[in-house]
Amino acid sequence: MLKSAALIRQLQDSKNPVYAHLSTWILAGMAMTMQQSFTIYPFDPPGDVARLRGEVRAFLAQHQAKLGVPNCWVVGDPGFSRALGAAGFLGMILPKEVGGHARHPLERYVVIEELLAAGAPVGAHWIADRQTAPLILRYGSEEAKAAYLPGICKGAIYTCIGLSEPGAGSDLAAVRTSARHTPEGWRISGQKIWTSGAHMSHVMLALVRSEEGSERNAGLSQFLIPMDAPGITIRPIIDMGGDHHFNEVFFDDVLLPEWAMVGT
């Protein structure tokens, strides 16, 4: 900011009218930016945030040997995830009736901040706790809530997200993995690629085409797919650093129950 102010002062003092005119435009742009800034309102944080932060740090001190992991949000340690669940640091914002703790989102933020700052291996439960559990709570069937939410809160069930395909990367409206409705349930066939953590996940939340003959955004649905279901093959993709985070996942007529569809 000081360097910017000095530059503007030099432009204003310049005898060149172009530079003087330029300084006016810069000042106008800065004023507009300030007007568009977010307004922060004071509020009282819920509970005792300082105490909670201390509790998390005390927990981490008991697991010192597992900390300091680079890119810790993709590195999974099931034992550490279960310990977090037992300590009440997973499923924090979920209701108690599904195994959660009914805490405030800011309290969850404090826990996540401390875990990432310490380089804790949170990759196993990361997606499940962050987004799959809230999605199931809001849109999932009662069967899905009962099957998955208590285990996610315990740090015992991990999830991955099936989006990209060989012919559908950023353009997810081009997905071709299909869900065919049958008297027995839904049959999933196709392939997903670049699926982070599929090799250590229990469930995939997959975007597939559930309406035959549909194109683009029409006819798409999400399904919760158990990764140990018959007909699923997982193949590792090793990156240039020799690490295994990504996977290819193949579905060969995988049978799912009716309640596996999200949003019904």
Side-chain angles (χ1 to χ4, degrees):
M1 192 62 148
L2 293 175
K3 291 182 178 180
S4 299
L7 174 61
I8 293 171
R9 192 176 301 111
Q10 291 177 8
L11 293 174
Q12 290 175 328
D13 294 342
S14 173
K15 296 181 180 180
N16 189 322
V18 175
Y19 289 168
H21 187 65
L22 179 60
S23 69
T24 302
W25 277 102
I26 293 176
L27 288 170
M30 292 177 64
M32 184 175 296
T33 301
M34 293 175 66
Q35 291 175 359
Q36 294 175 348
S37 298
F38 292 102
T39 301
I40 300 177
Y41 299 96
F43 73 101
D44 294 325
D48 190 338
V49 171
R51 179 179 177 180
L52 174 60
R53 195 178 295 278
E55 292 174 354
V56 179
R57 292 180 180 179
F59 170 87
L60 291 172
Q62 298 174 4
H63 300 271
Q64 190 68 39
K66 295 180 179 290
L67 307 182
V69 178
N71 300 325
C72 62
W73 55 89
V74 296
V75 177
D77 185 321
F80 184 80
S81 293
R82 287 192 294 270
L84 275 175
F89 294 143
L90 295 181
M92 292 184 67
I93 63 174
L94 298 185
K96 294 182 179 181
E97 52 265 30
V98 297
H101 304 282
R103 305 288 290 264
H104 192 277
L106 179 61
E107 294 178 294
R108 180 180 182 273
Y109 177 88
V110 168
V111 172
I112 296 299
E113 185 178 53
E114 290 295 328
L115 291 174
L116 295 181
V122 297
H125 66 265
W126 183 253
I127 293 174
D129 182 63
R130 182 185 67 179
Q131 60 201 89
T132 312
L135 180 140
I136 293 174
L137 180 67
R138 183 164 183 176
Y139 297 109
S141 63
E142 292 304 314
E143 293 91 339
K145 294 175 186 178
Y148 301 129
L149 293 183
I152 291 175
C153 294
K154 293 177 181 177
I157 292 181
Y158 317 132
T159 66
C160 58
I161 304 174
L163 295 175
S164 296
E165 298 180 6
S170 301
D171 183 13
L172 290 177
V175 298
R176 284 289 171 252
T177 297
S178 65
R180 178 171 50 90
H181 194 246
T182 71
E184 298 82 21
W186 292 93
R187 293 279 183 178
I188 310 296
S189 298
Q191 176 188 357
K192 295 295 180 179
I193 197 169
W194 307 119
T195 307
S196 299
H199 57 296
M200 60 181 176
S201 294
H202 302 92
V203 185
M204 174 188 286
L205 177 66
L207 180 69
V208 304
R209 194 162 295 282
S210 57
E211 182 180 330
E212 186 176 359
S214 62
E215 294 292 338
R216 304 301 298 164
N217 302 75
L220 296 175
S221 300
Q222 287 184 296
F223 285 84
L224 293 163
I225 305 176
M227 297 302 284
D228 60 353
I232 292 181
T233 302
I234 303 173
R235 295 179 183 171
I237 298 176
I238 308 302
D239 64 25
M240 294 179 66
D243 296 319
H244 176 199
H245 303 304
F246 301 120
N247 302 271
E248 291 181 284
V249 183
F250 299 86
F251 306 95
D252 184 11
D253 210 29
V254 176
L255 178 62
L256 301 178
E258 297 281 351
W259 57 262
M261 177 184 279
V262 177
T264 56

